[in-house]
Amino acid sequence: MHYKTHVGAHSCCTVEFQPGVTLHRTVPQYRRHYQCALFHLRLRFNMTALRQRKGSKGKEPPLGAEFHSQQPNCCTDHHHHLHPEKILHGDWSWGAIIWTSVGWSVSVGLGLLCCIYVATLHENDLWFSNIKEVEREISFRTECGLYYSYYKQMLQAPSVQEGLSDLIHDNLTESRRTINLLQRMNIYQEVFLSVLYRLLPIQSYLEPVYFYIYTVFSLQAVYVIALYLTAWLLSGSWLAGALTGVWYILNRVDTTRVEFTISLRENWSLPFLALQVTAITCYLRPHLTALQQKVLVWLMYVTTFCFCLTWQFNQFILLVQALIIYTLDCVDLLTTTQVTTLYLVQVSSLLSVWLLQFCNSMILGSLVLSFIVAALFIRHCQSGLKTGGLLVRLGKLLLHTTMVLLLSFTINYLAKKALQLRSDEHIFKFIKLKFALGPTRDFDASLYLCEEAFGFLPLDTLERLAGTLLLYPYILTLLLLSGMFAVAALHNLSRSKGSSAEEKKGSGEGEMEAFRPDVAYNLLHTLFYGLLAFSTMRMKYIWTGHMCAVAAYGACGTELWSLLLTVLRCNSKLLLRLVRYAVPLAMVGWLYYQFWPKLMEELLELREFYDPDTVELMTWISTKTPKRAVFAGSMQLLAGIKLCTGRVLTNHPHYEDKDLRERTRQVYQVYARRSPEEVHDILRAVGADYVVLENSICYERRHRRGCRLRDLLDLANGHIMDGPGENDPDLVPASHPRFCEAINSDAPSYSALFTRTFQNKTFHVYRVKKKRKKSHKSSPEPSATQ
């Protein structure tokens, strides 16, 4: 004799015996999360009583194995009728179809609204449709201009094949070097868009630049839809998704900067990361069939692959995600299969990108790969890791974590030695300097640290988030879920007779009954990336978008409201449902009333791009210098020169290369206290024909003393800094004046080596003369084309 148990949408347990006798017994609806254990004990008692009344004498299979595979988490509201998976599981009633269709329509509407919103802001801020082509290109500031230049280069190539060949054998981005841009940089998105623009019949009515920016803005719609679906899956109500989308748009200043940094790699990659989180959330839910699991695994792989392919910092983001998976594994909230699958999705995605990037050694030497290999290996070797009582488990867990970390760093060290990899060492120097782990005057690390984007998260960010009511439900949800997570973790670790997750499910004591794995993942996701955002402001864009989904889940889910209503002693099925739907609607209504007029006012603000000095410089370079002339200068300006003029560069903003970082530090000596002969030798060594000096750098006021570029160079060279203030005792006065200031004097020692060829209020361009050979005293001065 056997039985089956099913807990459906109405929580009605059906006990089916082999003779065909079917009994129904309604399970009380427990909504207080701390009564989960009582719920299952009572259910098991009912099943036992039924078996005894029918005179069952044979040995029964364990209840938990069948029950757990069907039972939603006890902390989940069993009366959810808004779950999108109801359609997937055969509920094709008109009510479910219409309600789900409305939810999907709202998600698409909010995504399009966000897309149109940022596109309108971009147009209004620059008057992009009315300015000249050179002004449009100048608006792609810093590294954005460098990335867009490859899209432009691919379109200008006679064919796709020749364009790809030029990218693979590029000698324009770094003078006197031939580099593989597809290996060095994450620019496959530019290649893909250029090919797509060639193939689609849109050239006659859509300019290439608009095709590019509209694609990036469309990804913002994808981003909002992904966050919407995550909140919907967590809470079971698409109202949570709607609240998520509204919050994301209203907090645009802190959730995205796409309207003024269009080509930035994170604007391409974060929508795919959000889609991956949605796929992981769905994968960790119960009720999945084998086919659904396979589809979700493929979705996780594709989204992770696209994320890794479009951002050079992918390995560091995936490392945080791997730590999340490791934590969930340690506290028995994921099965071995789930843990292994999530790890392998990361590994396979990184290796796929490694192949596409022509075996980029930076990926093989990444810390995330080393960590995953170490975690899987140690887990396989420690078969008795999840056995024993609480203290024993904690001791084993501490030992296990220590071994994983030691093995990770060992593998990573050996991999970097074998690959001779030094491309990412500036990141670790930056971390060392940021957290004061040791004194350092490293120029590269200081250059990062002195930028506001790489500083700590300003407190005014939290004030803005609180102003849209986002921060308050987020903190409440975070506190409640953190407490529930801690209780569930201690409960799982304190089992006297531990076993693997699968064995515990078979014994009817599944540890996942205490806390939903999908909720647990999203909780740790927002916690870990929140810490990353507080440590580095640039990373807040990973956190704030997901923060909207978590806060919406708290406002529309059952956990927070069940606890609150229970404390108020008015917890009932009808009241809970009323509050869960009324509160988000009231919040959306209040936000509309409060911010819609401000939104419309913002959209009516019209500005215009205005940078005549840079336009004049780019026009002069395009018309007055040879096409193969080599330019030296600041990284930010040279990226614009590459895009607007196509000239050869000595250095550029893509900083993930050891030799390039050293070359940049040398070129920047034009802003240090160095002799004209030293600067001339440096510039000729990198093949520079022209050097562009900027008053905004030479006489910088934007940064504080010690963070100005000239100060960083003085410290790296061991010289005393400009201006009043303290200096380290080992610094000495420089023996030469600052080059960028002294060259304006046209002294013979400078004019003999440099000739001024262009100047305006912002820029000074000098031609770097070639030294005459003694054996050819009468030979003419070489031109910049030689």
Side-chain angles (χ1 to χ4, degrees), residues 485-539:
F485 179 86
V487 171
L490 289 175
H491 176 66
N492 292 341
L493 293 173
S494 61
R495 297 180 185 272
S496 58
K497 294 184 179 179
S499 59
S500 67
E502 291 81 357
E503 291 170 345
K504 287 179 182 178
K505 287 199 303 180
S507 66
E509 298 179 0
E511 71 285 337
M512 286 186 292
E513 294 170 2
F515 200 76
R516 285 168 48 187
D518 56 337
V519 174
Y521 172 81
N522 281 275
L523 170 65
L524 293 188
H525 184 98
T526 192
L527 281 174
F528 280 44
Y529 287 107
L531 293 175
L532 183 63
F534 273 94
S535 67
T536 306
M537 190 184 72
R538 182 176 178 177
M539 296 300 171

Side-chain angles (χ1 to χ4, degrees), residues 232-428:
W232 188 356
L233 286 168
L234 289 174
S235 66
S237 171
W238 59 256
L239 289 176
L243 191 56
T244 299
V246 170
W247 267 330
Y248 182 89
I249 294 172
L250 293 181
N251 291 281
R252 172 190 56 82
V253 174
D254 297 303
T255 54
T256 182
R257 48 179 175 168
V258 65
E259 72 274 11
F260 60 91
T261 58
I262 295 176
S263 305
L264 210 60
R265 301 297 85 178
E266 67 190 45
N267 294 328
W268 288 91
S269 62
L270 290 187
F272 293 110
L273 180 63
L275 286 172
Q276 184 227 35
V277 172
T278 303
I280 291 176
T281 301
C282 196
Y283 173 72
L284 296 180
R285 296 184 63 82
H287 301 305
L288 296 180
T289 64
L291 177 61
Q292 290 171 342
Q293 289 181 358
K294 290 180 181 178
V295 170
L296 287 170
V297 168
W298 276 104
L299 283 176
M300 288 190 294
Y301 166 75
V302 171
T303 52
T304 308
F305 167 75
C306 293
F307 165 72
C308 294
L309 190 64
T310 52
W311 199 12
Q312 69 268 27
F313 292 146
N314 57 68
Q315 55 170 302
F316 303 104
I317 307 305
L318 289 188
L319 175 61
V320 177
Q321 193 174 68
L323 292 173
I324 295 171
I325 298 169
Y326 175 80
T327 304
L328 294 174
D329 181 30
C330 288
V331 296
D332 298 347
L333 285 171
L334 296 182
T335 66
T336 302
T337 302
Q338 290 172 332
V339 171
T340 305
T341 300
L342 292 173
Y343 278 149
L344 292 181
V345 163
Q346 289 190 331
V347 172
S348 57
S349 301
L350 285 169
L351 292 181
S352 299
V353 173
W354 173 71
L355 289 174
L356 275 179
Q357 288 195 303
F358 296 83
C359 305
N360 188 336
S361 59
M362 190 173 175
I363 296 177
L364 285 186
S366 63
L367 191 56
V368 61
L369 277 183
S370 303
F371 177 81
I372 292 174
V373 171
L376 290 176
F377 178 76
I378 298 296
R379 194 182 198 280
H380 176 74
C381 294
Q382 287 188 311
S383 57
L385 174 65
K386 299 190 176 183
T387 59
L390 177 60
L391 294 180
V392 174
R393 287 288 302 274
L394 288 176
K396 288 183 177 181
L397 189 57
L398 179 61
L399 177 62
H400 176 74
T401 303
T402 303
M403 293 175 64
V404 168
L405 292 178
L406 287 176
L407 184 59
S408 299
F409 288 118
T410 301
I411 294 174
N412 189 252
Y413 175 80
L414 294 176
K416 288 184 175 180
K417 283 293 183 182
L419 297 170
Q420 297 182 342
L421 180 64
R422 303 182 66 186
S423 299
D424 59 351
E425 64 178 11
H426 64 298
I427 301 294
F428 298 101

Side-chain angles (χ1 to χ4, degrees), residues 601-614:
E601 184 180 349
E602 183 182 24
L603 292 176
L604 292 176
E605 292 181 6
L606 301 179
R607 302 182 184 88
E608 183 179 357
F609 175 88
Y610 185 75
D611 191 356
D613 290 346
T614 306

Side-chain angles (χ1 to χ4, degrees), residues 213-247:
I213 66 175
Y214 286 165
T215 301
V216 179
F217 291 149
S218 298
L219 283 176
Q220 284 297 298
V222 175
Y223 196 1
V224 170
I225 292 173
L227 295 173
Y228 181 106
L229 293 177
T230 300
W232 188 356
L233 286 168
L234 289 174
S235 66
S237 171
W238 59 256
L239 289 176
L243 191 56
T244 299
V246 170
W247 267 330

Side-chain angles (χ1 to χ4, degrees), residues 14 80 215 227 235 349 392 447 466 516 536 696-697 715 717 727 782:
T14 301
H80 286 166
T215 301
L227 295 173
S235 66
S349 301
V392 174
L447 197 62
R516 285 168 48 187
T536 306
S696 58
I697 297 179
L715 290 173
N717 295 335
N727 291 282

Side-chain angles (χ1 to χ4, degrees), residues 620-768:
W620 178 84
I621 293 175
S622 298
T623 56
K624 301 297 184 181
T625 63
K627 290 187 176 181
R628 299 294 297 183
V630 181
F631 278 79
S634 69
M635 297 183 291
Q636 297 81 358
L637 179 64
L638 291 184
I641 291 176
K642 172 74 169 61
L643 170 58
C644 298
T645 69
R647 299 305 188 262
V648 185
L649 312 180
T650 57
N651 52 299
H652 54 81
H654 195 273
Y655 222 47
E656 277 64 52
D657 181 77
K658 171 65 177 177
D659 295 332
L660 176 67
R661 292 195 295 272
E662 178 58 29
R663 175 183 278 201
T664 299
R665 190 179 68 84
Q666 290 297 322
V667 170
Y668 276 7
Q669 296 303 312
V670 296
Y671 297 108
R673 290 187 175 99
R674 302 293 290 267
S675 68
E677 292 79 14
E678 290 176 309
V679 173
H680 184 272
D681 291 342
I682 290 172
L683 295 177
R684 291 309 306 167
V686 297
D689 298 312
Y690 295 89
V691 58
V692 184
L693 301 179
E694 302 171 60
N695 290 336
S696 58
I697 297 179
C698 189
Y699 306 101
E700 183 181 1
R701 299 289 187 271
R702 184 169 67 94
H703 290 102
R704 59 179 173 82
R705 184 177 186 268
C707 266
R708 299 170 296 189
L709 179 60
R710 62 179 187 266
D711 295 336
L712 300 181
L713 291 166
D714 289 341
L715 290 173
N717 295 335
H719 297 156
I720 292 176
M721 294 182 291
D722 287 341
E726 296 182 357
N727 291 282
D728 293 339
D730 59 326
L731 298 177
V732 297
S735 56
H736 300 282
R738 195 167 302 281
F739 177 84
C740 63
E741 296 176 355
I743 194 174
N744 294 327
S745 64
D746 290 330
S749 58
Y750 292 90
S751 59
L753 301 173
F754 302 93
T755 301
R756 181 183 294 154
T757 55
F758 173 86
Q759 68 173 343
N760 60 22
K761 292 184 296 183
T762 306
F763 304 104
H764 299 265
V765 181
Y766 293 87
R767 185 163 63 88
V768 183

